[in-house]
Amino acid sequence: MKPTEISTSEYNSYYQNYIDLVNNVSLPEALEIGLRNTPKFFKGITEVKWNYRYAENKWTPKDILQHIIDTERVFTYRALYFSRADSANLKGFDENIFAQNANANNKSIDVLLNEYSAVRNASIHLFKNFDDTQLKRTGIANDSIMSVAAAGFIICGHEIHHQNIINERYL
């Protein structure tokens, strides 16, 4: 399944920007592209910038990478849940509370990138094993409809979105 094959009725319009950032490739391929590109991107950030904040109370690149990891975990949980035809209303999450309690800035870049790779590899395996029926299943997350496929493409676009922000505001 490709981003052009999902309907806007399968996700909240808030996520449109993320989905638009994904190339028109299959979901497993989009996830694999991220696995290749995201570690390279973060390794290209100079050490002096790892703890840089472009304004008071803004996240560092380490915080952003941890946020990408945490968000992927949340969205893969949603995808798994919905793929199994359980459409209960899942709570949202407060990314700021997550960031405040993740201690990302006390971790090395290698630790963060290893965690990213482990999570992404698990996501690739998860989404590769969904059939078309499962990818189209929907549920409610944070009081909004979301399909399994939409969750996957949001994961991919979300990391691109944050790389764009880092390029614009940090580098």
Side-chain angles (χ1 to χ4, degrees), residues 39-127:
K40 286 181 195 171
F41 174 82
F42 279 94
K43 285 178 184 175
I45 297 172
T46 60
E47 190 173 330
V48 71
K49 291 286 188 174
W50 278 113
N51 295 314
Y52 173 73
R53 297 172 195 275
Y54 70 88
E56 188 176 340
N57 297 320
K58 293 299 182 181
W59 293 347
T60 67
K62 283 183 175 181
D63 289 321
I64 293 170
L65 180 54
Q66 184 69 65
H67 166 69
I68 290 169
I69 294 164
D70 289 350
T71 300
E72 184 158 339
R73 283 186 165 124
V74 169
F75 276 72
T76 55
Y77 173 74
R78 291 173 179 177
L80 175 64
Y81 207 91
F82 302 152
S83 75
R84 302 302 192 247
D86 192 335
S87 60
N89 190 354
L90 300 177
K91 284 182 60 173
F93 75 105
D94 185 325
E95 70 255 10
N96 291 307
I97 291 173
F98 272 46
Q100 289 169 3
N101 292 286
N103 297 314
N105 293 305
N106 293 326
K107 298 175 184 177
S108 72
I109 188 57
D110 289 335
V111 165
L112 286 166
L113 288 173
N114 285 337
E115 183 178 1
Y116 168 85
S117 294
V119 170
R120 179 50 57 96
N121 277 310
S123 298
I124 289 168
H125 289 285
L126 179 69
F127 282 98

